[in-house]
Structures are given as structure tokens and as C-alpha cells.
Amino acid sequence: MSDDGHHILPKATLLKVFGGLIFLTVLTVAVAYVPLGPLAVPVAIGIAATKATLVVLYFMALRYDNPVNALTFTIGIIMVMVFITFTMIDTAFRGDMGNVDRQTMGEIEREQEAAQQQQEQIPSEQLRVAPADYPDDRGADAGAASGDSDS
Amino acid sequence: MATDTDIAPAPTETDHHDHPAHLQHHFVSSEQQFDSAKLGMWLFLITEILLFSAMFVAYAVYRQWHPETFVAASETLNVTMGTINTIVLLTSSLTVALSIHYIQKDEVKKCIYNLGATLVLAGGFMVIKYFEYTSKFEHGAYPGGMFDPHGGHYAQLADVPFASQFFSIYFVMTGIHGLHVIIGMAVIGWVAVRAWMGSFSSEYYTPVELTGLYWHLVDIVWIFLFPMLYLI
């Protein structure tokens, strides 16, 4: 039987890849103690993805393998990406989930905006309600009355 | 009549004796049988990846909702034990890759030694995991509704909102990963026994190859779990 289809990975290659994996493990632990702020998560996931790539390409020998296996693996990984991305597009932008009103959030926002604009259009003298709002004269009553007839 | 019976069975008989014992009749060659088995294994590994990806999605969603909780809760995990376990599992991946290397070169004894080393390392991983779990349970860091942290540096978790979410995810993810390690140990043990019985050679080592692929996948899942749960 022919063995030509089977690539035997040299021991040196396996040991080199192993060394790389150990180095990246030490690196990711060391980096965890550096305050990276918002970069901490992408850096950690990036190092993990590099390690996983090394394992897949060399330990699992996908690099030297029948291309159909690489295709199977790649399609699977694309599906995982779709799964994570599309779920997070939903969960990250849901807004106020406690609101069970019939109105859509867009409608509520437009209504609030319209109310605000209306509020801004009313001249300040029409908003006087307390005696303290009428510092000057008795003529203010007339002003309030005319304001009512305007609206 | 006589000529019919003489001719008909003759080719099948020679077919039977011509092909190696491991080659099943519905395959053209050992090469085709090996490739088919390997493609089947990759398809199975993809279903495994999708199984774990559901849990990775749960992690991503809850982390995105409560990032502070995940930062505070992950600090209670033991980074030293996690790092040791990562190195143990990476080493076991190397030994399983070496066992395939040696069986391809017909060095059956070295193949068995490396499978044995993989078993020992996998056992070591589970022992360290056992100590980690028991130290969590001692301090009431259980998953879900039983979450009742107390003592040590776990007491502060009582003030962290949604901290039980982190531990639910931690126990489910590491638990299902641990289950895969145990299944892997059983399969590696079976392959080692068969290698010892002389079932494998450079001509036929499909079970060793496929077990190796499975074991590397278990390693890859841990490669992601370690930074996600322990470091960030």
C-alpha cells in the first residue's frame, strides 16, 4: 500500500509548534497584568486565535491535508462567526426591554421630540403660573389670557 | 454449469485475499477509506465546534451586557492553576501528535508511550480541575440559583451584581469541556490498548489519527476558555 498521501510531520516541526504555543501562553498571562483597557479582550482573543491556528495547521496537519477537510473546517468557522455576530447585533442594540408598550421605540422617540419642540416654541411669558412669575405689574393677567387664546 | 461456478467465485476469492484486513469492501483503496474516515471526523468536529460556540455566544452576550461583572468575577479564578492546566493540555496535544508521528514510522512502542503520556496528562488536567472546583464549592461559588459566595476573596462577589451569571457560564463551559476530556481519555485508552495488541501500523492507523484530531479540538476549546474565564 502506498503511503504517499500521508504527510509525516517531522518531530522538529512538532516541537517548534509546541514551543510557540508555550510562548504564546506565557505571553497572554503576562499581558493580562498590563492595563490595556478596552484592548485587553481583543488582545487575549487574538493570542488565543493564533494558538488555535497553530494547532489546526500543524498538530491537526490541516495545512498538509486533503483540501476538502480545510474547506469543511472553514465553512464551520464562518458559521460560528455568523452565529456570534448576528446574535450580538440583536442583543447589543435591544434598548429598553422592560417597555412592553404597543408603540415602537421610534414612535416614542418622535413623540418626545415633537413635545420638546412644542415646548420650545411657547414664549416664556405664557409659561408663568405662580405669583412669583409676575414680578412687575398686574397687566400680566392680560398677557396670560391672550396667550391662552393664541393656542 | 460447471464452468459458471468455476468462473464466478474465483475473482471474489482472490479479491478477498488481495486486500489488507483493515480495508472494508465498499472502499476502493486504503487511501480512500482513510480520507473518508477523516472527512467524517472533520464533520463531527464541526458539530462539536458549533456545540461549544453556543456557549461562547452566551459568554459574549452576557459579557457585553455586564462587562464589570465578568472582570470582577474572573479575578476569583486561580490564574496559576489555569496556566498550569493550559500547559498540561498543550503538552498532551504534543504527545498525541507524536504518537501519530511514530505510528506513521512504524514505531509502535513509542506510539504507545506517547498515548500513555497523553492519558497521564489528561488525568492531571482533571485532577487540577477537581481542586479548582472544590475550592469554588467551599466558598459557595455555585452556578445559578445556588450562588452564595462567602469567605476568602469570594465574599466581595456578594456585592457584584449578576456575579452568578459568570459562575453559571464558568461551570457549564468548563464542565462540558471536562466531559470531553474524560471521553477523550476513554478513547485514547482504547486506542493505546489496540496499538499494544498490534492493530496499527504505518499501513493502517486511522483510529490513532482521528483520536488525535478529537484531542486537539479539546485542546483548542481550552485555548479559548483559559483567557476568557481566567484572564480578562
Side-chain angles (χ1 to χ4, degrees), chain B residues 28-74:
Chain B
V28 172
S29 64
S30 288
E31 208 53 51
Q32 191 207 12
Q33 178 172 287
F34 179 82
D35 286 346
S36 306
K38 216 166 168 186
L39 177 60
M41 191 64 194
W42 274 104
L43 286 169
F44 169 67
L45 293 187
I46 284 299
T47 68
E48 288 279 75
I49 290 171
L50 288 170
L51 162 76
F52 278 101
S53 77
M55 290 177 275
F56 282 108
V57 166
Y59 175 93
V61 167
Y62 283 101
R63 192 185 173 105
Q64 194 263 320
W65 278 343
H66 312 299
E68 333 73 37
T69 304
F70 278 69
V71 171
S74 76

Side-chain angles (χ1 to χ4, degrees), chain A residues 1-11 14-15 18 21-22 25-26 28-29 32-33 40-41 44-45 47-49 51-52 55-56 59-62 65-66 68-70 72-77 79-80 83-84 87-88 91-94, chain B residues 20 22-23 29-31 34-35 38-39 42-43 45-46 49-50 53-54 56-57 60-61 63-65 79 83 86-87 90-91 93-94 97-98 101-102 104-105 110 202-203 205 209 212-214 216-217 219-220 223-224 226-228 231-232:
Chain A
M1 271 299 141
S2 66
D3 247 24
D4 32 347
H6 299 196
H7 187 274
I8 302 179
L9 269 130
K11 210 166 139 187
L14 293 174
L15 287 171
F18 177 68
L21 289 168
I22 295 296
T25 304
V26 173
T28 191
V29 174
Y33 292 98
V41 176
I45 298 295
I47 294 174
K51 286 165 75 180
V55 172
V56 168
F59 280 180
M60 298 171 101
L62 205 51
D65 206 0
N66 198 333
V68 74
N69 294 332
T72 308
F73 178 72
T74 312
I75 290 172
I77 295 305
M79 287 304 158
V80 171
F83 189 10
I84 291 181
T87 307
M88 290 200 66
T91 58
F93 304 103
R94 274 185 180 177
Chain B
H22 64 261
L23 180 58
S29 64
S30 288
E31 208 53 51
F34 179 82
D35 286 346
K38 216 166 168 186
L39 177 60
W42 274 104
L43 286 169
L45 293 187
I46 284 299
I49 290 171
L50 288 170
S53 77
F56 282 108
V57 166
V61 167
R63 192 185 173 105
Q64 194 263 320
W65 278 343
V79 175
T83 310
T86 307
I87 291 169
L90 287 174
T91 313
S93 249
L94 172 71
L98 283 172
H101 170 86
Y102 284 124
Q104 285 174 324
K105 291 167 99 179
K110 283 185 176 173
S202 62
E203 296 288 306
Y205 59 92
E209 175 91 12
L213 287 178
Y214 174 83
H216 293 311
L217 182 90
D219 187 28
I220 287 172
I223 283 174
F224 282 99
F226 169 59
M228 280 168 45
L231 298 179
I232 54 176

Side-chain angles (χ1 to χ4, degrees), chain B residues 113-170:
Chain B
Y113 291 154
N114 275 292
L115 287 172
T118 312
L119 261 187
V120 170
L121 289 162
F125 178 89
M126 291 312 289
V127 167
I128 293 173
K129 208 79 224 138
Y130 166 79
F131 283 120
E132 281 192 82
Y133 270 25
T134 46
S135 81
K136 301 275 171 304
F137 292 154
E138 267 171 33
H139 294 283
Y142 289 107
M146 295 176 288
F147 188 65
D148 173 31
H150 53 77
H153 58 308
Y154 294 92
Q156 60 179 26
L157 287 175
D159 302 326
V160 177
F162 307 110
S164 70
Q165 277 176 4
F166 176 85
F167 283 94
S168 296
I169 288 172
Y170 167 79

Side-chain angles (χ1 to χ4, degrees), chain A residues 2-151:
Chain A
S2 66
D3 247 24
D4 32 347
H6 299 196
H7 187 274
I8 302 179
L9 269 130
K11 210 166 139 187
T13 310
L14 293 174
L15 287 171
K16 264 185 224 159
V17 170
F18 177 68
L21 289 168
I22 295 296
F23 168 74
L24 287 169
T25 304
V26 173
L27 180 72
T28 191
V29 174
V31 158
Y33 292 98
V34 180
L36 289 172
L39 284 178
V41 176
V43 165
I45 298 295
I47 294 174
T50 312
K51 286 165 75 180
T53 309
L54 280 176
V55 172
V56 168
L57 286 182
Y58 295 97
F59 280 180
M60 298 171 101
L62 205 51
R63 191 179 162 184
Y64 310 100
D65 206 0
N66 198 333
V68 74
N69 294 332
L71 180 72
T72 308
F73 178 72
T74 312
I75 290 172
I77 295 305
I78 290 171
M79 287 304 158
V80 171
M81 299 288 186
V82 168
F83 189 10
I84 291 181
T85 313
F86 280 58
T87 307
M88 290 200 66
I89 285 173
D90 169 12
T91 58
F93 304 103
R94 274 185 180 177
D96 180 11
M97 288 301 284
N99 180 3
V100 288
D101 209 304
R102 275 172 168 278
Q103 288 174 301
T104 65
M105 281 191 282
E107 278 169 359
I108 294 169
E109 272 170 21
R110 278 193 290 279
E111 220 166 70
Q112 284 171 344
E113 231 168 74
Q116 179 123 24
Q117 277 175 357
Q118 213 178 345
Q119 192 91 13
E120 280 162 7
Q121 278 165 6
I122 300 169
S124 61
E125 66 263 22
Q126 287 183 22
L127 296 170
R128 294 187 286 196
V129 283
D133 292 336
Y134 303 94
D136 313 327
D137 48 10
R138 316 299 308 160
D141 277 328
S146 70
D148 279 348
S149 61
D150 269 355
S151 65

Side-chain angles (χ1 to χ4, degrees), chain B residues 99-111:
Chain B
S99 76
I100 295 166
H101 170 86
Y102 284 124
I103 199 71
Q104 285 174 324
K105 291 167 99 179
D106 266 327
E107 295 182 58
V108 179
K109 237 182 200 161
K110 283 185 176 173
C111 167

